[in-house]
Amino acid sequence: AKRDQLTPKVIEGLRTEVRKHRLGRALGLRTPHTSALAAPIFDRTGHLSMTISILGMKGSFDTSYDGLPARELKATTDRLTTMLGGIAP
């Protein structure tokens, strides 16, 4: 969705996608040639504590949910959640 198209329905769809994959994606939303992945780190109560994001050039950066960047990012945020005594909801 483009920035000016972020209706409540679109936002809820994005939330559902993030919950399903434990990963958020931005595919050229703010800058047309840049994509990003972000994953959550949770605290001991299961609440979001922080996120880690990685960026790359659109077309040369794999933003698929099962691609290497996504797998490595999720593994890192899972380890950090555990190290902080956190639990994923």
Side-chain angles (χ1 to χ4, degrees):
K2 293 188 178 188
R3 192 168 187 198
D4 60 346
Q5 298 173 337
L6 291 178
T7 64
K9 184 177 181 178
V10 170
I11 291 170
E12 188 53 39
L14 292 170
R15 286 181 178 155
T16 299
E17 186 176 326
V18 169
R19 287 181 188 117
K20 177 180 178 182
H21 297 285
R22 289 185 9 256
L23 190 70
R25 300 187 305 174
L27 309 174
L29 182 62
R30 295 191 61 97
T31 55
H33 302 293
T34 304
S35 296
L37 297 171
I41 299 167
F42 298 98
D43 67 15
R44 60 186 172 87
T45 63
H47 290 96
L48 179 66
S49 177
M50 64 187 96
T51 61
I52 293 180
S53 300
I54 54 177
L55 305 169
M57 295 300 295
K58 196 172 182 181
S60 65
F61 177 59
D62 184 1
T63 57
S64 63
Y65 289 117
D66 59 351
L68 180 61
R71 291 193 316 267
E72 291 293 328
L73 179 59
K74 285 192 270 189
T76 299
T77 55
D78 287 348
R79 278 193 309 274
L80 289 169
T81 293
T82 300
M83 289 173 62
L84 295 171
I87 54 170

